[in-house]
Amino acid sequence: MPDLTTTYLGLSLKNPIVSSASPLAHDLDGIRRLEDAGAAAIVLPSLFEEQINEESRQIDHFLSYGTESFAEALNYFPEMGSYNTGPEGYLNLISQAKEAVNIPIIASLNGISRGGWTQYARLMEQAGADALELNIYYIPTDPGLPGSTVEQMYVDVVRDVRASILLQLAVKISPYFSSTAHQASRLATAGADGLVLFNRFYQPDFDLKKLEVVPHLVLSNSDELRLPLRWVAILYGCIPVDFAITSGVHTSEDVLKAVMAGANVAMLASELLANGVGRIGVIVDEMRQWMEEYEYESVAQMRGSMSQRHVAEPAAFERANYMKTLHSFRPDPTGLRL
Ligand SMILES: Cc1cc2nc3c(=O)[nH]c(=O)nc-3n(C[C@H](O)[C@H](O)[C@H](O)COP(=O)(O)O)c2cc1C
């Protein structure tokens, strides 16, 4: 029987499948269902900086960056009560979840600025969370705001949260840095024990009837895996952190690829939301079968085997691959394919 165990943020996990932050773990029933289905750990849906600051009435100036009107921006924030339970309820959910299930519970804090809100990390630790995921989701829209300032914001938030807790800390980041590898290294130096690649940015849409900008969430598909796959493969062995892949993990093949790139765990949200948490058991079984067939003894043995350091063609992750990809495309001679 292949050994599926892995480690992530100092936690021993029975397999590499983690339920990514989503409404699936919004309450105890959902959390129990995920454990029963075979998830190795659960990331709770995020508690947002805006929710904490709303309570303390201390909104950091960064929230108004690039918005025409600060007051209008505040009005746009939704009531999040139906998404998570608010700051107090969130801490209760952590402690109740710890009572209810045996798998690790990773709390998620979501914000962009420095400020008192980051102290909430300590409260999450005190409530019993096994680790913390910090999701930094920022859209820099001000033409006067240089990339270096944005990158420093990320580092500052990580440092603040790091200083608040002893727990291991993962940082969920976007793929949109000029130098992803450098920024990843800075985050590790600032205290990140793990990196979660990548945040999925939801693009707003236009409602042509109401002439309004509207939120529009489309679940992912497996094609989206390739972006985090590439970057974990590049960063594995270069930056001394654990890696989680999120975005586009839907099948056992996706999980196997994530591990081979160098991920400690693969996180799933869309697949479980669309097809039910029962998918976890199927994916675990299929992984086991594949590993038996290809004679892998353990996930640990497989991890990083397709990383840039270990493949025969390291250039496959770089510019050369771009040129090769373009070159490999063969237009349909009949012109009918599209
Ligand atoms: C409905 C929904 C709610 C989500 N809520 C959160 C959240 O609270 N915090 C967070 O960091 N990510 C959140 N995510 C992002 C997921 O955790 C995950 O990173 C993303 O969906 C990409 O993974 P996937 O391809 O498996 O869906 C949410 C995703 C969905 C679809």
Side-chain angles (χ1 to χ4, degrees), residues 70-131:
F70 189 34
E72 275 172 27
L74 286 183
N75 285 339
Y76 190 73
F77 291 131
E79 286 289 330
M80 296 294 288
S82 61
Y83 181 72
N84 63 33
T85 41
E88 260 325 293
Y90 198 93
L91 299 176
N92 287 335
L93 183 65
I94 294 174
S95 41
Q96 287 167 2
K98 285 303 299 168
E99 293 276 310
V101 295
N102 291 316
I103 54 176
I105 297 293
I106 302 173
S108 167
L109 202 52
N110 196 315
I112 52 159
S113 60
R114 300 192 75 166
W117 72 277
T118 57
Q119 302 302 320
Y120 234 84
R122 185 175 303 142
L123 297 176
M124 291 176 167
E125 180 170 48
Q126 286 164 3
D130 292 293

Coordinates of all heavy atoms in Angstrom, one line a residue, residues 70-131:
F70 N -13.6 57.2 -0.4 CA -13.4 56.2 0.6 C -14.8 55.7 1.2 O -15.0 54.6 1.3 CB -12.6 56.9 1.7 CG -12.1 56.0 2.8 CD1 -11.8 54.7 2.5 CD2 -12.0 56.5 4.1 CE1 -11.4 53.8 3.5 CE2 -11.6 55.6 5.1 CZ -11.2 54.3 4.8
A71 N -15.7 56.7 1.4 CA -17.0 56.4 1.9 C -17.7 55.4 1.0 O -18.3 54.4 1.4 CB -17.8 57.7 2.1
E72 N -17.7 55.7 -0.3 CA -18.3 54.8 -1.3 C -17.8 53.4 -1.2 O -18.5 52.4 -1.3 CB -18.2 55.4 -2.7 CG -19.3 56.4 -3.0 CD -19.0 57.1 -4.3 OE1 -18.4 56.4 -5.2 OE2 -19.4 58.2 -4.5
A73 N -16.4 53.4 -1.1 CA -15.8 52.0 -1.1 C -16.3 51.3 0.2 O -16.5 50.1 0.1 CB -14.3 52.2 -1.0
L74 N -16.4 52.0 1.2 CA -16.9 51.3 2.4 C -18.3 50.8 2.2 O -18.7 49.7 2.7 CB -16.9 52.2 3.7 CG -15.5 52.5 4.2 CD1 -15.6 53.4 5.4 CD2 -14.8 51.2 4.6
N75 N -19.2 51.6 1.6 CA -20.5 51.1 1.3 C -20.6 49.9 0.5 O -21.5 49.1 0.6 CB -21.3 52.2 0.6 CG -21.7 53.3 1.6 OD1 -21.7 53.1 2.8 ND2 -21.9 54.5 1.0
Y76 N -19.6 49.7 -0.4 CA -19.6 48.6 -1.3 C -19.4 47.3 -0.6 O -19.8 46.2 -1.1 CB -18.6 48.8 -2.4 CG -18.7 47.8 -3.6 CD1 -19.8 47.9 -4.5 CD2 -17.8 46.8 -3.7 CE1 -19.9 47.0 -5.5 CE2 -17.9 45.9 -4.8 CZ -19.0 46.0 -5.6 OH -19.1 45.1 -6.7
F77 N -18.7 47.3 0.5 CA -18.4 46.0 1.2 C -19.7 45.3 1.6 O -20.6 46.0 2.2 CB -17.5 46.2 2.5 CG -16.1 46.7 2.1 CD1 -15.6 47.8 2.8 CD2 -15.4 46.0 1.2 CE1 -14.3 48.2 2.4 CE2 -14.1 46.4 0.9 CZ -13.6 47.5 1.5
P78 N -19.8 44.1 1.3 CA -21.1 43.4 1.7 C -21.1 43.0 3.2 O -20.0 43.0 3.9 CB -21.0 42.1 0.9 CG -19.5 41.8 0.7 CD -18.8 43.2 0.7
E79 N -22.2 42.8 3.7 CA -22.4 42.1 5.0 C -21.9 40.7 4.8 O -22.4 40.0 4.0 CB -23.8 42.1 5.4 CG -24.4 43.5 5.8 CD -23.9 43.9 7.2 OE1 -23.5 43.0 8.0 OE2 -23.7 45.1 7.4
M80 N -20.9 40.3 5.7 CA -20.4 39.0 5.5 C -21.0 37.9 6.4 O -20.5 36.8 6.5 CB -18.9 39.0 5.6 CG -18.1 39.9 4.6 SD -18.3 39.2 3.0 CE -17.2 37.8 3.0
G81 N -22.0 38.3 7.1 CA -22.6 37.4 8.2 C -23.0 36.1 7.6 O -22.8 35.1 8.3
S82 N -23.4 36.0 6.4 CA -23.9 34.7 5.9 C -22.7 33.9 5.3 O -22.8 32.7 5.1 CB -24.9 34.9 4.8 OG -24.3 35.6 3.7
Y83 N -21.5 34.6 5.2 CA -20.4 33.9 4.6 C -19.5 33.3 5.7 O -19.2 32.1 5.7 CB -19.5 34.8 3.8 CG -18.3 34.2 3.2 CD1 -18.5 33.3 2.2 CD2 -17.0 34.3 3.8 CE1 -17.4 32.6 1.7 CE2 -15.9 33.7 3.2 CZ -16.1 32.8 2.2 OH -15.0 32.1 1.7
N84 N -19.2 34.1 6.7 CA -18.6 33.5 7.9 C -19.4 34.1 9.1 O -20.3 34.9 8.9 CB -17.1 33.8 8.0 CG -16.8 35.3 8.0 OD1 -17.5 36.0 8.6 ND2 -15.7 35.7 7.4
T85 N -18.9 33.8 10.3 CA -19.7 34.2 11.4 C -19.3 35.5 12.1 O -19.7 35.8 13.2 CB -19.7 33.0 12.4 OG1 -18.4 32.5 12.5 CG2 -20.6 31.9 12.0
G86 N -18.4 36.2 11.4 CA -17.9 37.5 12.0 C -16.8 37.2 13.0 O -16.6 36.0 13.4
P87 N -16.1 38.2 13.5 CA -14.9 37.9 14.3 C -15.2 37.1 15.5 O -14.4 36.1 15.8 CB -14.5 39.3 14.7 CG -15.0 40.2 13.6 CD -16.3 39.6 13.1
E88 N -16.2 37.4 16.3 CA -16.4 36.6 17.5 C -16.8 35.1 17.2 O -16.2 34.2 17.7 CB -17.6 37.2 18.3 CG -17.3 38.0 19.5 CD -16.0 37.6 20.3 OE1 -16.0 36.5 20.9 OE2 -15.1 38.4 20.2
G89 N -17.7 35.0 16.3 CA -18.2 33.7 15.9 C -17.1 32.9 15.2 O -17.0 31.6 15.4
Y90 N -16.2 33.6 14.6 CA -15.1 32.8 13.9 C -14.2 32.1 14.9 O -13.8 31.0 14.8 CB -14.2 33.9 13.1 CG -13.3 33.2 12.0 CD1 -13.8 33.1 10.7 CD2 -12.1 32.7 12.4 CE1 -13.0 32.5 9.8 CE2 -11.3 32.2 11.4 CZ -11.7 32.0 10.1 OH -10.9 31.4 9.2
L91 N -13.9 32.8 16.0 CA -13.1 32.2 17.1 C -13.8 31.1 17.7 O -13.2 30.0 18.0 CB -12.7 33.3 18.1 CG -11.9 34.5 17.6 CD1 -11.7 35.5 18.7 CD2 -10.6 34.0 17.0
N92 N -15.1 31.2 17.9 CA -15.9 30.1 18.4 C -15.9 28.9 17.4 O -15.7 27.7 17.9 CB -17.4 30.5 18.6 CG -17.5 31.4 19.8 OD1 -16.7 31.4 20.7 ND2 -18.6 32.2 19.8
L93 N -16.0 29.2 16.1 CA -16.0 28.1 15.2 C -14.6 27.3 15.2 O -14.6 26.1 15.2 CB -16.2 28.7 13.7 CG -16.2 27.6 12.6 CD1 -17.5 26.7 12.8 CD2 -16.2 28.2 11.2
I94 N -13.5 28.1 15.4 CA -12.2 27.4 15.5 C -12.3 26.4 16.7 O -11.9 25.2 16.6 CB -11.1 28.4 15.7 CG1 -10.9 29.3 14.4 CG2 -9.8 27.7 16.0 CD1 -9.9 30.4 14.6
S95 N -12.7 26.9 17.9 CA -12.6 26.1 19.0 C -13.6 24.9 19.0 O -13.3 23.8 19.3 CB -12.7 26.8 20.4 OG -13.7 27.8 20.2
Q96 N -14.8 25.2 18.4 CA -15.7 24.1 18.3 C -15.2 23.0 17.3 O -15.4 21.8 17.5 CB -17.1 24.6 17.8 CG -17.8 25.4 18.9 CD -19.0 26.2 18.4 OE1 -19.3 26.2 17.2 NE2 -19.6 26.9 19.3
A97 N -14.6 23.5 16.2 CA -14.1 22.6 15.2 C -13.0 21.7 15.8 O -13.0 20.5 15.5 CB -13.6 23.4 14.0
K98 N -12.2 22.3 16.6 CA -11.1 21.5 17.2 C -11.7 20.4 18.1 O -11.1 19.4 18.3 CB -10.2 22.4 18.0 CG -9.3 23.3 17.2 CD -8.4 22.4 16.3 CE -7.5 21.5 17.0 NZ -6.9 20.5 16.1
E99 N -12.9 20.7 18.7 CA -13.5 19.7 19.6 C -14.2 18.6 18.7 O -14.2 17.4 19.0 CB -14.7 20.3 20.4 CG -14.2 21.3 21.4 CD -13.9 20.6 22.7 OE1 -14.7 19.8 23.1 OE2 -12.7 20.8 23.2
A100 N -14.7 19.1 17.5 CA -15.5 18.2 16.7 C -14.8 17.2 15.8 O -15.3 16.1 15.5 CB -16.5 19.0 15.9
V101 N -13.6 17.6 15.4 CA -12.9 16.7 14.4 C -11.4 16.5 14.9 O -10.9 17.2 15.7 CB -12.9 17.3 13.0 CG1 -14.3 17.4 12.4 CG2 -12.2 18.7 12.9
N102 N -10.8 15.5 14.2 CA -9.4 15.2 14.6 C -8.4 15.7 13.6 O -7.2 15.6 13.9 CB -9.3 13.6 14.7 CG -10.1 13.1 15.9 OD1 -10.0 13.7 17.0 ND2 -10.8 12.0 15.7
I103 N -8.9 16.2 12.5 CA -7.9 16.7 11.5 C -7.6 18.1 11.8 O -8.4 18.8 12.4 CB -8.5 16.5 10.0 CG1 -9.8 17.2 9.9 CG2 -8.5 15.1 9.6 CD1 -10.4 17.2 8.5
P104 N -6.4 18.6 11.3 CA -6.0 20.0 11.6 C -6.9 21.0 11.0 O -7.5 20.8 9.9 CB -4.6 20.1 11.0 CG -4.1 18.7 10.9 CD -5.3 17.8 10.7
I105 N -7.1 22.1 11.7 CA -7.9 23.2 11.3 C -7.0 24.4 11.1 O -6.3 24.9 12.0 CB -9.0 23.5 12.4 CG1 -10.0 22.4 12.6 CG2 -9.8 24.8 12.0 CD1 -10.9 22.0 11.4
I106 N -7.0 24.9 9.9 CA -6.2 26.1 9.6 C -7.1 27.3 9.5 O -8.0 27.3 8.6 CB -5.4 25.8 8.2 CG1 -4.6 24.5 8.4 CG2 -4.6 27.0 7.9 CD1 -3.9 24.1 7.1
A107 N -6.8 28.3 10.3 CA -7.6 29.5 10.2 C -7.1 30.4 9.1 O -6.0 30.2 8.7 CB -7.5 30.2 11.5
S108 N -8.0 31.2 8.6 CA -7.6 32.1 7.4 C -7.9 33.5 7.7 O -9.1 33.9 8.0 CB -8.3 31.6 6.2 OG -8.2 32.6 5.1
L109 N -6.9 34.3 7.6 CA -7.0 35.8 7.8 C -6.8 36.4 6.5 O -5.8 36.1 5.8 CB -6.0 36.2 8.8 CG -6.2 37.4 9.7 CD1 -7.5 37.5 10.3 CD2 -5.1 37.5 10.7
N110 N -7.7 37.4 6.1 CA -7.6 37.9 4.7 C -7.6 39.4 4.8 O -8.5 40.1 5.2 CB -8.9 37.4 4.0 CG -8.9 37.6 2.5 OD1 -8.4 38.6 2.0 ND2 -9.3 36.6 1.8
G111 N -6.5 40.0 4.3 CA -6.4 41.4 4.4 C -5.1 41.9 3.7 O -4.4 41.1 3.1
I112 N -4.9 43.2 3.7 CA -3.8 43.8 2.9 C -3.0 44.8 3.6 O -1.9 45.2 3.2 CB -4.4 44.5 1.6 CG1 -5.5 45.5 2.0 CG2 -4.9 43.5 0.6 CD1 -5.7 46.6 1.0
S113 N -3.5 45.3 4.7 CA -2.7 46.4 5.3 C -2.2 46.1 6.7 O -2.6 45.1 7.3 CB -3.7 47.6 5.4 OG -4.8 47.3 6.2
R114 N -1.3 47.0 7.1 CA -0.8 46.9 8.5 C -1.8 47.4 9.4 O -2.6 48.2 9.0 CB 0.5 47.7 8.6 CG 1.6 47.3 7.7 CD 2.9 47.9 8.1 NE 3.4 47.3 9.3 CZ 4.7 47.4 9.7 NH1 5.5 48.2 9.1 NH2 5.1 46.8 10.8
G115 N -1.8 47.0 10.6 CA -2.8 47.6 11.6 C -3.2 46.6 12.6 O -2.7 45.5 12.6
G116 N -4.0 47.1 13.6 CA -4.3 46.3 14.7 C -5.0 45.0 14.4 O -4.9 44.1 15.1
W117 N -5.6 45.0 13.2 CA -6.4 43.8 12.9 C -5.6 42.5 12.8 O -6.0 41.4 13.1 CB -7.1 44.0 11.5 CG -6.2 44.0 10.3 CD1 -5.5 45.0 9.9 CD2 -5.9 42.9 9.5 NE1 -4.8 44.6 8.8 CE2 -5.0 43.3 8.5 CE3 -6.3 41.5 9.4 CZ2 -4.5 42.5 7.5 CZ3 -5.8 40.7 8.5 CH2 -4.9 41.2 7.5
T118 N -4.3 42.7 12.5 CA -3.4 41.5 12.4 C -3.2 40.8 13.8 O -2.9 39.6 13.8 CB -2.0 41.9 11.8 OG1 -1.4 42.8 12.7 CG2 -2.1 42.4 10.4
Q119 N -3.5 41.5 14.8 CA -3.5 40.9 16.2 C -4.5 39.8 16.3 O -4.4 39.0 17.2 CB -3.7 42.0 17.3 CG -2.7 43.1 17.3 CD -1.3 42.7 17.4 OE1 -1.0 41.8 18.2 NE2 -0.4 43.3 16.6
Y120 N -5.4 39.8 15.4 CA -6.5 38.8 15.4 C -5.8 37.4 15.2 O -6.4 36.4 15.6 CB -7.5 39.0 14.3 CG -8.9 39.0 15.0 CD1 -9.4 40.2 15.6 CD2 -9.7 37.9 15.0 CE1 -10.6 40.2 16.2 CE2 -10.9 37.9 15.6 CZ -11.4 39.0 16.2 OH -12.6 39.0 16.8
A121 N -4.7 37.4 14.6 CA -4.0 36.1 14.4 C -3.7 35.4 15.8 O -3.9 34.2 15.9 CB -2.6 36.4 13.7
R122 N -3.4 36.3 16.8 CA -3.1 35.7 18.1 C -4.4 35.1 18.7 O -4.4 34.0 19.3 CB -2.6 36.7 19.0 CG -2.1 36.2 20.4 CD -1.5 37.2 21.3 NE -0.3 37.8 20.6 CZ 0.0 39.1 20.8 NH1 -0.7 39.9 21.5 NH2 1.1 39.5 20.2
L123 N -5.5 35.8 18.5 CA -6.8 35.2 19.0 C -7.1 33.9 18.3 O -7.7 33.0 19.0 CB -7.9 36.2 18.8 CG -7.7 37.6 19.5 CD1 -8.8 38.6 19.2 CD2 -7.7 37.3 21.1
M124 N -6.8 33.8 17.0 CA -7.1 32.6 16.3 C -6.2 31.4 16.9 O -6.6 30.3 17.1 CB -6.8 32.7 14.8 CG -7.8 33.6 14.1 SD -7.4 33.9 12.4 CE -8.9 34.6 11.8
E125 N -4.9 31.8 17.2 CA -4.0 30.8 17.8 C -4.6 30.4 19.2 O -4.7 29.2 19.5 CB -2.7 31.5 18.0 CG -1.6 30.6 18.7 CD -0.2 31.2 18.6 OE1 -0.1 32.4 18.9 OE2 0.7 30.5 18.2
Q126 N -5.0 31.4 20.0 CA -5.6 31.1 21.3 C -6.8 30.2 21.2 O -7.1 29.4 22.1 CB -5.9 32.3 22.1 CG -4.6 33.0 22.6 CD -4.8 34.4 23.0 OE1 -6.0 34.9 23.0 NE2 -3.8 35.1 23.4
A127 N -7.6 30.4 20.1 CA -8.8 29.6 20.0 C -8.5 28.2 19.6 O -9.4 27.4 19.5 CB -9.7 30.3 18.9
G128 N -7.3 27.9 19.2 CA -6.9 26.5 19.0 C -6.5 26.1 17.6 O -6.3 25.0 17.3
A129 N -6.5 27.1 16.7 CA -6.1 26.8 15.3 C -4.8 26.1 15.2 O -3.9 26.4 16.1 CB -6.1 28.1 14.5
D130 N -4.6 25.2 14.3 CA -3.4 24.4 14.2 C -2.3 25.1 13.4 O -1.2 24.9 13.4 CB -3.7 23.1 13.5 CG -4.5 22.2 14.4 OD1 -4.0 21.8 15.5 OD2 -5.7 21.9 14.1
A131 N -2.8 26.1 12.5 CA -1.9 26.9 11.7 C -2.7 28.0 11.2 O -4.0 28.0 11.3 CB -1.3 26.0 10.6

